[in-house]
Amino acid sequence: MNYILIPQATISWLISKHRAATALAHDLTSLSVFDALKRGVVSFGPVRVSAGRSGRFIALWNVDYLGGTGAESWGAIKLTGKYGLLEKEEIQTEVFNRALQITDRRLQSMLLDSSWKRRSEFAGVSTCIAGRGAAYDEHRVAYVETDLASIVRGVLVIGPAWEDAAFRAAAAQELPVLRSLLGDANALLAEITERPTLEHFSLRVSEALADAPLTTETLGDEPVSFPPLDAPAGNDIYKTMGWTYDDWCNTANGLTPTQLQVLNSSIIERQPIRIVGAAGSGKTLLMMLLAIRQLRRAAESDQGCRIVYIAHNSAMRDKVRARFVELGAEAYLARSAIRGLDVLTLFDYAKEQLGVTDLQLIDADADASKRYQRGVVERATGTVFSSHRDQVDESALLSQLSNEPELHSLFVGLVADEISIAIKGQGMLPSTDSRQYVEAERRLSRLHGLMSPSERALVWSIFLRYNEEISEQDGLLDADDLALSLLGRFRTPLWELRRRSEGYDYVFVDEAQLFNENEKRLFPMMTLRKPYVPIALALDQAQQTRSLTSAGLGTLGVDDLSNQTLHAVHRSSASILKLAFFTIQHTTDLFGSEFPDFTRDTSSVTGMSADTPKPAVVRSEERSAAELAAQIVREMRSRNIRQVCVACFADRYWNSLRDELTRLKEGLRVLEGRGEVLPGPTHPIIVMAKPDAIGGQEFDAVVCVGLEQGVVPPRVMGNEPLAAAVEQQSLREMYLVFTRARTELTIAIGHAGTPTGIVQSAINQGLISDATH
């Protein structure tokens, strides 16, 4: 094989692991002649190595760092032939490291270090020194790259060699080769699942990754673009990357005592489990290990076992499935297996059971469908408010909601939930007598109980307008139609018969707080009929930002739940965790018999140094909140903080904040929905998101915008219960955002602003430092 190709994100990951990169440099000679790679794949931890069928190239990637789009950007290094890396064995390692640095920087449109003595006089070809030491004085490398506007970018490095006209001309001839290699490499990713796994025990890189803790080493004393934050080798982000089920179960300090106890107790074989814990406490990992354990126990006793693992949306489903493969459960993912593991969204399952096609749905993804529903509710609300202006003006509540953007946005979310739970969930249809909702004495929801009959009548009109657009004009089913249709099917004698063969032995539900009441009713009915409901749910109710009131799980068919609380947080520093708990403990509607207070004895176990900065409020008398946030991000980047999220709590700041961050020219990523795939922890990125889209992510630093008095929570006049509900939602949003940060959390307060009440209380308690910018 003449070239090795590595995706950009994997290159960044390799650069941060000097020992593994050095080992891989030694492996290149044997890999280049390992012809079996053209037919199979070598796998160790999260790393995969294979080759194109033509035999022109080897590809190496870390599955955790694939974008999943099928259009990866690749760095290519010439290995064999004239000007190939392997021609100079004595400097092979240092030149390989330099090639990694070049491809990493150029694929991110970053300039090379000035000390590398870059030259670009020859059209389309750039050259620089080949490394340090022996490679410094007499050798250079050359590289060509695709256009910046290319959908798939690539950089190809040749050398080392003495730079002359022949060397530069040879480099120029590699550009068409690079373009063809990019297509072949992405095609390889698409077909790799069909290839068998190969054994290649002599790979040094496999040993380097398996034996050594993953650290934040850089390449010698040379600067490396955006190195990861300093952290002890035991930091879970690096230490446990690529661990299998056996690694987690057999490695000292891999799991906490509580996690081990739940995993080894077989409690799920006696009663349902609810796994409760703060954000970053390892709930999802424990659920996955527990599912694999049950399948292994079934194999040991030669019994069948079918398990379904439910994720909330498609992005989260794909992440979970990839993680199961990493944990070593790939053999169980074949749905026809006697011992099988189905990783699905509830949408996937409902469509299969009901025979519904994607064309009949708003969207095949739950998150996208619900975002669309919210948009329709927003349009319907505007239409109804405009046509019933007199009724709106007569209501102090609705007139305020219609005139203030933040309150209007909150109201739209509440109405969307109202349509789902209080109207459709109660079996009401457009043909239903409206008095069943408008004049109902029984409180159907929190919002329903806060409104007068005339206000409820307007909400009913919004429902009718919503249904007209979704069902009558578009002829589509929304997420609740799908869930309620499946629930109706489950309540038939036919399902009771088929349940004996089609029900699951165990149902695992991840992030259960994201499912509404209509959806939660389905989970116990998906199982085989047993004396107990064989279900495990992982949840952090504090991450349900809309603070919905929901029926208890007992009333939804899950009795005798065993609460298992995880008390160790592996993500956030101790000071960030204290602030998050201080915030969420001010909620009045969370902790109780249905949801234990995990904050009492939960602690951070990240292993971060004691001098990790305390959360901070940064104020400016001159800059707006958006300008200040952009300046804070700029300073963080100058300190080599790789991954930064800017969380926008108030719609009034959204557009200006996006404009300011775009001016940084750092490649802004705006999150649309929860669980979107982002690059791994070593990849530099700036993310902007609203609180409801930030769940399931984590970042080195988080900057909060909008946590100002009178903005968050927005003031609600004349309706104290609704004001309290809005405040509760704001507290949950703060908790969710705060717990996304690993090491730094900053609250930006622009000119004329003052911190919101809960932030000021935290300042007074010494949980937040306060500074002027």
Side-chain angles (χ1 to χ4, degrees), residues 282-359:
K283 299 182 295 295
T284 296
L285 172 64
L286 178 58
M287 291 267 288
M288 297 174 77
L289 295 177
L290 192 58
I292 296 173
R293 181 181 186 274
Q294 294 308 116
L295 289 165
R296 287 194 171 192
R297 284 175 62 86
E300 290 169 0
S301 57
D302 197 25
Q303 295 180 347
C305 182
R306 294 182 65 242
I307 291 177
V308 63
Y309 193 105
I310 300 292
H312 183 254
N313 60 27
S314 300
M316 295 164 67
R317 174 201 62 201
D318 294 343
K319 280 185 176 181
V320 167
R321 186 179 178 88
R323 190 70 189 278
F324 267 122
V325 172
E326 179 182 330
L327 289 169
E330 188 170 11
Y332 297 120
L333 292 171
R335 299 195 68 184
S336 60
I338 297 175
R339 287 170 288 278
L341 173 63
D342 295 342
V343 181
L344 306 170
T345 65
L346 196 59
F347 253 36
D348 296 332
Y349 180 81
K351 287 190 299 181
E352 181 176 307
Q353 290 292 326
L354 296 171
V356 174
T357 67
D358 289 347
L359 294 176

Side-chain angles (χ1 to χ4, degrees), residues 348-357 360 477 481-490:
D348 296 332
Y349 180 81
K351 287 190 299 181
E352 181 176 307
Q353 290 292 326
L354 296 171
V356 174
T357 67
Q360 296 171 280
L477 298 172
D481 295 329
L482 198 64
L484 293 168
S485 297
L486 182 57
L487 185 62
R489 182 179 185 275
F490 277 169

Side-chain angles (χ1 to χ4, degrees), residues 182-291:
L182 294 177
D184 291 346
N186 281 315
L188 175 63
L189 292 180
E191 69 173 63
I192 203 65
T193 55
E194 302 173 3
R195 295 194 178 190
T197 299
L198 306 173
E199 293 185 354
H200 196 285
F201 298 110
S202 63
L203 287 181
R204 298 188 187 186
V205 64
S206 174
E207 297 172 0
L209 289 172
D211 296 341
L214 300 174
T215 68
T216 58
E217 292 180 60
T218 60
L219 295 176
D221 57 2
E222 293 191 84
V224 177
S225 57
F226 296 107
L229 292 170
D230 288 338
N235 190 348
D236 285 345
I237 296 172
Y238 304 102
K239 174 186 174 184
T240 63
M241 191 177 291
W243 278 16
T244 65
Y245 173 90
D246 292 318
D247 294 330
W248 280 108
C249 295
N250 300 326
T251 303
N253 301 321
L255 298 174
T256 66
T258 303
Q259 288 174 313
L260 282 171
Q261 181 181 6
V262 174
L263 186 61
N264 295 325
S265 66
S266 302
I267 193 169
I268 195 172
E269 297 176 9
R270 303 188 299 273
Q271 63 186 120
I273 302 175
R274 176 170 43 209
I275 300 172
V276 175
S281 58
K283 299 182 295 295
T284 296
L285 172 64
L286 178 58
M287 291 267 288
M288 297 174 77
L289 295 177
L290 192 58

